[in-house]
Amino acid sequence: MEGVKIVENLRDQLMALPKVELHLHLDGSVNPETILELAQKEGIDLPTENLDELRRYLEVPEDCKSLGEYLQKFEFPLAVMQTKEGLKRIAYELCERVAKENVRYFEVRFAPQLHTRKGLTLNEVVEAVLDGLNEGKREFNVKAGLILCAMRHQPVEINLEIADLAARFKEKGVVAVDLAGDEANFPVEDHAEVFERAKASGLHITIHAGEAAGAQSVAKAIELGAERIGHGVRSFEDPEVLAKLKEKKILLEVCPKSNRHTKAVRNISEHPVKEYFDKGIRVSINTDNRTVSNTSLTDEYQLVMEELGFTVDEIKKMILYAAETVFLPESERDQLVQEIKAELDL
Ligand SMILES: [Zn+2]
């Protein structure tokens, strides 16, 4: 009984921490109930109408075999994210979901170009998501920023459009441009122009790197102006890359469960995030896809404590690192940092 009580207390303690989440995909974090309801309303065929069975199509099993198996889980969420109503509702509900575990600020990302199948324009897609976020922010007392994802496998012309789109919505809630997708086959330098354009518009940059490719992919992302790196798991392969991350205070947006599911690491116990943290590299813990990996920040914190030996104080330090690298205007960022610092007693 004693042991159970300790675990419960830790859970409560982690749940109560004020949190910041930097790496979270909208399409991987849709409530299964919502997919069921929207599909029924829109006449979209699902393999089942039973909620528990549907979860099997939306969540990866713990023994997920590959990145390919992981990516299949986005098919049904994407199918119901093709209307203004669907996009707005899903963004709104994400605010509710994160607020339940005391997230104070989060940055959610998605690729608008994947949501035009039923004729929405890119502008309409982004507007609908921002509408949902704005309503959710007010209702659930949480702050949020939106990141637009360029995709590695897509032609640079489409990704340039995404950079322009982000620039148009810069004062309205879009904070940054990301590059997501097939890292192993499509190098970041093919999209250099996209990031030049984003930077010229005053947008922030984060890039998925070091997940399905090695440390050189991280080095290239830094060269192109990434202020944060999505994952960065394989940075350890090159000590110079680690030195650069530390020197430039570039934060790694680490997503432990997702990294295990996509096979970026075999086991959490082999994840280099603790080594990075101990070296003084800025790291933060994130969920990546709350539904696909059936996870929350509280789950992820608990996992890295159990598997990698992080202490609660170290978890707090990573929350502060995250707050210090949010893509908000300086004054708002400082306000968030002060709020988090005071509450975490740091
Ligand atoms: Zn990601």
Side-chain angles (χ1 to χ4, degrees):
M1 282 312 283
E2 192 85 318
V4 172
K5 198 156 192 195
I6 291 166
V7 170
E8 273 177 14
N9 287 344
L10 174 66
R11 239 355 248 193
D12 292 346
Q13 197 184 347
L14 294 178
M15 186 72 116
L17 292 175
K19 301 176 181 66
V20 173
E21 177 149 46
L22 302 177
H23 193 120
L24 174 60
H25 293 264
L26 187 63
D27 52 353
S29 307
V30 186
N31 294 334
E33 296 85 345
T34 304
I35 294 181
L36 202 58
E37 279 181 40
L38 286 172
Q40 276 165 356
K41 211 181 250 180
E42 295 172 25
I44 294 165
D45 273 340
L46 293 177
T48 171
E49 300 209 334
N50 175 295
L51 189 60
D52 285 329
E53 279 175 31
L54 183 63
R55 285 180 198 278
R56 291 216 315 270
Y57 293 88
L58 306 174
E59 296 170 5
V60 289
E62 276 311 304
D63 64 343
C64 178
K65 301 285 183 295
S66 65
L67 181 61
E69 183 180 356
Y70 187 86
L71 293 176
Q72 281 170 17
K73 305 296 172 185
F74 294 85
E75 183 186 338
F76 297 117
L78 279 173
V80 299
M81 295 172 78
Q82 304 296 333
T83 63
K84 287 184 192 176
E85 185 201 6
L87 288 164
K88 185 178 170 185
R89 173 171 171 182
I90 286 162
Y92 173 85
E93 289 179 350
L94 186 59
C95 295
E96 181 179 27
R97 188 165 178 178
V98 302
K100 274 187 187 152
E101 57 166 352
N102 206 13
V103 170
R104 296 300 169 81
Y105 174 80
F106 68 106
E107 283 168 9
V108 57
R109 60 187 77 195
F110 83 123
Q113 63 277 38
L114 304 181
H115 303 271
T116 56
R117 286 183 205 163
K118 289 191 173 167
L120 289 182
T121 64
L122 290 174
N123 272 341
E124 287 171 332
V125 169
V126 175
E127 270 164 14
V129 170
L130 285 173
D131 278 354
L133 286 179
N134 286 331
E135 220 175 289
K137 277 153 69 177
R138 281 193 300 271
E139 182 74 27
F140 304 107
N141 195 23
V142 58
K143 296 189 184 81
L146 183 61
I147 298 174
L148 303 189
C149 302
M151 300 293 292
R152 285 179 184 262
H153 70 278
Q154 289 188 324
V156 73
E157 294 73 31
I158 294 180
N159 288 331
L160 284 169
E161 263 185 72
I162 298 306
D164 290 339
L165 181 69
R168 283 202 293 282
F169 285 92
K170 190 180 157 255
E171 306 300 330
K172 296 172 191 147
V174 172
V175 294
V177 173
D178 171 35
L179 185 66
D182 186 349
E183 186 189 6
N185 295 306
F186 298 90
V188 65
E189 50 269 38
D190 291 356
H191 303 281
E193 214 185 325
V194 177
F195 294 100
E196 276 164 32
R197 200 175 285 189
K199 250 187 293 180
S201 308
L203 289 157
H204 290 284
I205 295 171
T206 177
I207 295 178
H208 279 76
E211 181 189 20
Q216 286 323 299
S217 178
V218 177
K220 283 277 186 309
I222 297 171
E223 260 172 54
L224 293 187
E227 299 153 81
R228 303 195 317 232
I229 298 288
H231 305 295
V233 181
R234 289 175 59 183
S235 305
F236 68 87
E237 291 172 2
D238 186 345
E240 276 183 35
V241 170
L242 290 182
K244 201 166 276 178
L245 289 170
K246 188 172 175 179
E247 177 206 322
K248 292 179 168 257
K249 292 188 174 174
I250 291 172
L251 176 135
L252 300 180
E253 307 159 351
V254 173
C255 312
K257 258 186 138 181
S258 162
N259 291 156
R260 184 179 64 198
H261 288 151
T262 63
K263 296 289 167 281
V265 295
R266 258 182 307 176
N267 296 298
I268 302 295
S269 60
E270 294 171 30
H271 202 296
V273 60
K274 184 67 164 70
E275 183 192 327
Y276 297 161
F277 179 86
D278 290 340
K279 282 190 158 81
I281 293 167
R282 289 173 171 248
V283 291
S284 73
I285 300 295
N286 303 274
T287 63
D288 209 10
N289 294 291
R290 285 176 177 249
T291 299
V292 176
S293 284
N294 187 19
T295 193
S296 64
L297 283 180
T298 306
D299 288 341
E300 302 279 346
Y301 294 167
Q302 191 176 342
L303 189 66
V304 296
M305 288 183 72
E306 287 168 358
E307 298 283 327
L308 293 165
F310 275 102
T311 64
V312 173
D313 282 345
E314 289 170 337
I315 298 284
K316 289 181 181 179
K317 178 90 182 163
M318 289 193 285
I319 296 172
L320 183 60
Y321 279 153
E324 286 170 345
T325 43
V326 299
F327 292 149
L328 281 173
E330 218 176 299
S331 61
E332 289 176 55
R333 185 192 62 207
D334 290 349
Q335 204 186 336
L336 179 73
V337 168
Q338 290 318 320
E339 181 188 318
I340 294 278
K341 253 187 173 171
E343 273 193 63
L344 290 178
D345 230 350
L346 287 169

